[in-house]
Amino acid sequence: MPAVPTGGLSIFVNIAIVLIGYIVKSLKKMGFHLRSGGFIYNLFVDKKFDNYFRRILGYGVAVLLFVMMFSVTSFSIYKRIVDGSNIQIVKEQIEKVRLAHENSNEDQFVSLESKGLVVKSSSSIAVKK
Amino acid sequence: MGSLTLRRGRTSHLAENLNSKAFFVVKRMESILSYAQKIVLNNIPKRKREIPSTGRHTYVINSHIIQDEYNSIVENPFGDTSSNVTIIIPCHNEEKGIRSTIESCLKQTRKPLQILIVNDGSTDGSAKIIDEYSNFVDVVTISKATGNKSFAQEIGLKYVKGDIFFATDGDTILDSRAVEEVEKTFAKDPEVVAVGGYVKSLKYNWLTACRELDYIVGQNLHKVAQSNIDAVFVIPGCAGAFKTDIFKEYIRFDHDTLTEDLDFTYKLHKNYFKIAYNRDVVTYTQDPDKLGQYINQMRRWYGGGWQNLKKHYSVIGKPNNSLQLSLTYVEGLIFSAALFIFPLINIKFFQFFLLPYLAFLLVLGLYGAILRRRWDLLLYSPTYLVLVFVNAWVFLEQFWKEIVLQKTNLVWFHPERRENKTI
């Protein structure tokens, strides 16, 4: 199965795991033994730690990652809605067109026309789709 | 032979500078040399014809080409003793690829004990091609197609003679050292019950190039990280080796998911069996070259992924598995949804997001081009942006069908095959 769609988090986390693995292997070769690190590692992988605490930890990791990613994405989308969303951009452009029409300000109209935002017809000004 | 060719070339060169009479003499000399060359070549002693018996099988050579290839196996550094590995190849309408698959099995540096082909009701010329190799392979023929690879594998498993079996596909080419590396991995650590290999995509067009980029990231980064914390989550269906007795007792075939390889791997995790990942067990596979077929394949893979997660959800109870599965499925789900929601919210922000993604793809393409010596990977890397959307859509679609609507699809998709171009 190929990589599923990723925004980059799995790539960064797995790069970190690969690097830590490389460092640990190098340290072992040099004669160092990280006993506390070994305990944490075993807590994740060893069968003897297969108890309720570890299961809670396992499900906790999944829930934590879900909540974290969901929060970040939701906040990001919310921020876009509040600040400079598509709706906001459209509103601003409609307001400019309205002002141009009301004031018959030819310069302003030409400026908008040059951007391709409005087209001139015989009777009115229409927002270009 | 080489020296004769050289002399001919020299006389031809001289002939250009001689008058017509001398030219005639030289041409005559050339024809004599050519005749002499034929005589010499026809009298070179032929290579050894007799292939020694392995004790279980006596091979009889029919084809001249296979004779040469097989001799190279006999002359391998391990002598003529065979390994304890059975290669099992399910085959359903694989006439375009099965020949190269069988020949790659015959070219192994370490001779497999048995090459077992399960002809799963093929209606094309597969059976005829398999018959050509009947002296080298064991064939199990199923008269009517079972419709799912795992059925064919299950039937084939009954006839496996090796202590280890190597599962591959009818469109896959094995690297010549694949069996040797499988044996080494099992010998190195007796606790290992299964070995996941390294899959490369056969070069064809932009879609296969993009798939190769997927494989590079998946197998050079994700799988290495998963291996570091004992959480390898896919033993590829075309490059996986298992201990036969443990497989028969604990794994078995359920036929209730679309991706049997994921099913095996989850079961191994649930039973605390050790899975090794060896990047030297290399296989080359055909991937879809048309977008429609690519989408269908992704539907099967992602659909099978959700089915297996639903079936084996308890594997999340282990933190290492939980971390990797969350990174795969939770991030995949949220990112896929965001990919379609963001353009609706703010097109400008979306544009800014795409640019770094494109830069990442170019860097990946360059890395792939250097790693594989395939410059098409760099050339086609920007087109992967299209597939990001395709993958995201199919991922969401399959989540909706399999998890939300609970509609389980078990119809196997069989992509169109093509002649293998290059490795």
Side-chain angles (χ1 to χ4, degrees):
Chain A
M1 191 169 128
V4 293
T6 172
L9 184 68
S10 61
I11 289 174
F12 289 122
V13 171
N14 281 336
I15 285 174
I17 293 172
V18 170
L19 286 176
I20 291 167
Y22 178 74
I23 291 165
V24 169
K25 274 180 192 169
S26 306
L27 285 173
K28 273 185 182 174
K29 275 183 186 174
M30 289 160 69
F32 291 102
H33 292 282
L34 300 170
R35 289 190 188 280
S36 57
F39 172 76
I40 294 166
Y41 174 80
N42 284 335
L43 196 61
F44 272 75
V45 298
D46 203 315
K47 189 180 176 179
K48 70 182 176 185
F49 289 102
D50 191 28
N51 49 32
Y52 285 111
F53 168 71
R54 205 169 79 140
R55 284 185 193 177
I56 290 166
L57 189 67
Y59 286 107
V61 170
V63 172
L64 187 75
L65 273 169
F66 179 79
V67 171
M68 194 181 77
M69 283 186 274
F70 189 79
S71 311
V72 169
T73 314
S74 307
F75 178 73
S76 186
I77 290 171
Y78 170 75
K79 202 166 176 289
R80 296 303 124 198
I81 290 169
V82 173
D83 181 22
S85 68
N86 285 353
I87 299 160
Q88 194 65 26
I89 293 166
V90 170
K91 272 183 183 174
E92 282 170 13
Q93 295 304 331
I94 289 169
E95 186 62 21
K96 279 182 186 173
V97 172
R98 196 181 62 78
L99 283 170
H101 186 58
E102 278 181 2
N103 301 332
S104 302
N105 187 337
E106 197 62 29
D107 292 340
Q108 199 175 355
F109 175 75
V110 169
S111 149
L112 287 168
E113 193 182 36
S114 65
K115 287 179 185 172
L117 291 167
V118 292
V119 288
K120 195 175 183 182
S121 68
S122 57
S123 59
S124 64
I125 296 166
V127 178
K128 195 176 181 180
K129 284 184 181 177
Chain B
M1 184 179 161
S3 61
L4 285 172
T5 312
L6 187 68
R7 278 182 201 168
R8 285 190 66 192
R10 197 178 288 165
T11 50
S12 300
H13 176 69
L14 285 169
E16 290 170 11
N17 302 318
L18 294 172
N19 59 35
S20 58
K21 197 175 177 182
F23 177 69
F24 174 77
V25 174
V26 171
K27 287 298 281 181
R28 186 72 186 157
M29 280 171 67
E30 261 195 293
S31 63
I32 291 165
L33 279 171
S34 172
Y35 183 68
Q37 186 178 1
K38 279 179 189 169
I39 291 169
V40 171
L41 284 176
N42 286 336
N43 284 293
I44 289 174
K46 289 197 167 56
R47 296 172 81 178
K48 194 179 173 185
R49 293 267 172 198
E50 288 174 12
I51 306 300
S53 166
T54 59
R56 282 184 160 182
H57 302 280
T58 305
Y59 296 98
V60 182
I61 306 303
N62 289 332
S63 158
H64 195 76
I65 300 163
I66 300 164
Q67 158 81 56
D68 288 342
E69 287 166 359
Y70 206 80
N71 274 334
S72 69
I73 300 167
V74 174
E75 290 159 9
N76 76 57
F78 293 92
D80 62 355
T81 54
S82 63
S83 65
N84 212 358
V85 178
T86 290
I87 301 175
I88 182 167
I89 311 164
C91 168
H92 173 70
N93 291 344
E94 299 283 3
E95 65 176 355
K96 289 182 178 170
I98 192 69
R99 186 184 295 278
S100 49
T101 305
I102 297 171
E103 288 185 1
S104 72
C105 295
L106 293 171
K107 280 181 188 171
Q108 291 297 307
T109 54
R110 185 83 167 129
K111 192 166 67 176
L113 174 69
Q114 180 192 25
I115 299 165
L116 182 68
I117 300 174
V118 186
N119 183 3
D120 187 7
S122 295
T123 50
D124 62 352
S126 302
K128 200 179 168 187
I129 295 166
I130 295 166
D131 275 351
E132 289 177 28
Y133 297 89
S134 59
N135 292 318
F136 307 104
V137 301
D138 292 340
V139 185
V140 178
T141 304
I142 304 165
S143 54
K144 196 180 174 187
T146 58
N148 193 320
K149 191 173 109 180
S150 64
F151 281 107
Q153 283 178 319
E154 186 179 29
I155 293 164
L157 191 65
K158 292 174 188 168
Y159 301 92
V160 167
K161 293 171 184 167
D163 292 339
I164 296 161
F165 78 90
F166 188 109
T168 190
D169 292 336
D171 63 330
T172 303
I173 297 171
L174 270 62
D175 184 79
S176 61
R177 289 169 55 83
V179 170
E180 185 189 330
E181 287 297 332
V182 163
E183 265 207 329
K184 274 185 190 172
T185 317
F186 280 110
K188 196 177 170 185
D189 186 352
E191 282 186 20
V192 168
V193 164
V195 177
Y198 192 97
V199 183
K200 292 181 181 178
S201 183
L202 288 166
K203 185 178 171 181
Y204 197 76
N205 64 3
W206 71 278
L207 267 172
T208 57
C210 290
R211 177 57 63 76
E212 182 64 21
L213 291 175
D214 252 341
Y215 286 154
I216 288 171
V217 176
Q219 297 178 116
N220 290 346
L221 175 63
H222 295 312
K223 217 171 247 187
V224 175
Q226 290 171 1
S227 175
N228 277 357
I229 58 169
D230 285 349
V232 172
F233 264 95
V234 194
I235 297 172
C238 63
F242 305 86
K243 281 187 177 167
T244 311
D245 53 344
I246 288 178
F247 192 94
K248 281 179 178 173
E249 193 174 345
Y250 294 95
I251 310 302
R252 296 184 292 271
F253 294 90
D254 292 342
H255 318 296
D256 55 356
T257 67
L258 280 171
T259 44
E260 81 297 335
D261 46 2
L262 269 176
D263 191 33
F264 302 159
T265 322
Y266 283 121
K267 282 178 184 170
L268 287 167
H269 279 295
K270 283 166 95 172
N271 286 291
Y272 294 95
F273 287 124
K274 193 168 183 180
I275 302 168
Y277 171 50
N278 186 348
R279 282 193 278 180
D280 293 325
V281 180
V282 179
T283 62
Y284 300 85
T285 190
Q286 271 191 28
D287 287 304
D289 55 352
K290 294 185 182 82
L291 194 59
Q293 291 189 11
Y294 175 90
I295 292 169
N296 280 334
Q297 194 185 53
M298 296 312 288
R299 280 193 175 123
R300 183 173 80 77
W301 284 355
Y302 288 155
W306 286 117
Q307 286 168 1
N308 276 298
L309 193 65
K310 197 165 62 176
K311 183 180 170 186
H312 303 290
Y313 72 94
S314 62
V315 288
I316 298 174
K318 295 169 197 169
N320 53 335
N321 298 350
S322 174
L323 178 68
Q324 287 300 331
L325 283 172
S326 304
L327 285 173
T328 306
Y329 288 95
V330 175
E331 198 207 350
L333 199 62
I334 291 174
F335 173 74
S336 300
L339 207 60
F340 292 102
I341 294 169
F342 264 122
L344 302 174
I345 305 292
N346 190 331
I347 194 77
K348 278 184 184 173
F349 178 81
F350 186 66
Q351 286 163 357
F352 282 121
F353 163 77
L354 285 183
L355 284 173
Y357 210 98
L358 189 64
F360 165 72
L361 288 175
L362 285 168
V363 172
L364 177 62
L366 184 65
Y367 172 68
I370 294 165
L371 189 74
R372 296 273 188 276
R373 294 179 186 175
R374 275 181 57 179
W375 293 101
D376 64 311
L377 295 182
L378 177 62
L379 182 71
Y380 291 129
S381 58
T383 60
Y384 191 91
L385 261 186
V386 178
L387 294 187
V388 169
F389 286 91
V390 172
N391 290 351
W393 179 258
V394 177
F395 196 70
L396 291 172
E397 178 200 71
Q398 291 306 311
F399 170 75
W400 185 256
K401 279 185 182 171
E402 297 289 342
I403 305 294
V404 180
L405 301 179
Q406 296 281 320
K407 283 184 180 175
T408 304
N409 172 35
L410 293 175
V411 179
W412 186 270
F413 165 70
H414 191 267
E416 273 179 33
R417 300 298 188 209
R418 57 181 185 272
E419 299 287 346
N420 288 327
K421 277 171 79 177
T422 50
I423 293 176

